Amino acid sequence: MLPFPRPSEMRTERLVLRPLRHADAAPLFATYTGDLEVTRYLPWRRHRSRNQTEAMIRVGEDLAESRTAYLMAITLHDDTSSPIGLLNIGDSEHGISVGFGLAQNRWGGGYGSEIIAHVCKWLLDRPTVWRVWGYCDAENAASARVMVKAGMQFEGTLGRFAVHPNLAFEPRDCQLFAAIRG
């Protein structure tokens, strides 16, 4: 169980992170969950219908209620009704895990590192959080750069660590990154 309640909102310089809403299903499906390129390295299959995205939002609500994980919408300050991606904060026996994804039209704008840097700092300010970690497929150089730019340290390659079903149905090598409280 996550040792803190789900934040109602987090703000960075350009972004607002907030809990998912049912109304987020259509814009998320159009730009994120239904896009094969965006979901290429994610641990779930690309959604083929908005109904799958709606189901993911319901699962996210259940996880938040049990405090197992918090799935949050990433939005721009000037349009908090249209998510441009997702952030996942998860419980782990080795710290708190973070994962993110952005709509393809938002790649390369520095949003990923802005989100991860802010969330890592926020999490490490919680008195019971000592470690925040994330991973990416070993071939996903863009996500690796985001985590390093956000201040996370590369800790190593994990052989056959995670299945990314949009690439293969067998576990793939992944790179592990972490930020720790000193």
Side-chain angles (χ1 to χ4, degrees):
M1 178 159 70
L2 287 163
F4 48 84
R6 177 174 62 183
S8 59
E9 183 178 277
M10 286 191 235
R11 289 183 170 268
T12 71
E13 183 180 326
R14 302 177 293 167
L15 303 167
V16 176
L17 308 172
R18 61 160 175 78
L20 280 174
R21 304 173 185 149
H22 291 281
D24 293 334
L28 279 173
F29 177 69
T31 63
Y32 179 79
T33 62
D35 185 322
L36 186 58
E37 191 61 28
V38 171
T39 59
R40 165 183 252 162
Y41 294 112
L42 295 178
W44 42 269
R45 292 202 53 79
R46 173 180 70 95
H47 294 177
R48 298 199 181 272
S49 73
R50 191 178 79 196
N51 290 342
Q52 289 178 291
T53 304
E54 290 168 351
M56 179 190 69
I57 291 170
R58 286 191 300 275
V59 168
E61 290 171 338
D62 293 343
L63 292 170
E65 190 172 310
S66 69
R67 288 175 61 167
T68 305
Y70 300 140
L71 194 55
M72 300 183 76
I74 301 167
T75 68
L76 299 171
H77 270 252
D78 60 353
D79 185 5
T80 60
S81 64
S82 296
I84 63 167
L86 294 175
L87 170 75
N88 182 57
I89 300 172
D91 186 22
S92 160
E93 63 185 81
H94 299 292
I96 305 299
S97 66
V98 293
F100 73 98
L102 292 168
Q104 198 170 160
N105 66 346
R106 299 301 175 175
W107 291 357
Y111 294 121
S113 56
E114 183 176 329
I115 294 159
I116 296 302
H118 180 83
V119 170
C120 284
K121 182 186 179 325
W122 186 87
L123 287 167
L124 291 171
D125 284 345
R126 305 303 98 196
T128 57
V129 176
W130 295 89
R131 175 182 175 79
V132 179
W133 64 275
Y135 73 90
C136 64
D137 190 277
E139 294 180 8
N140 190 347
S143 284
R145 280 191 304 274
V146 163
M147 288 187 270
V148 169
K149 187 176 176 186
M152 298 178 92
Q153 300 296 309
F154 174 69
E155 293 192 327
T157 299
L158 304 169
R160 300 276 189 178
F161 182 73
V163 174
H164 297 124
N166 297 300
L167 292 171
F169 287 104
E170 58 187 47
R172 295 174 53 87
D173 292 353
C174 294
Q175 294 181 327
L176 179 67
F177 298 84
I180 58 172
R181 183 163 21 132

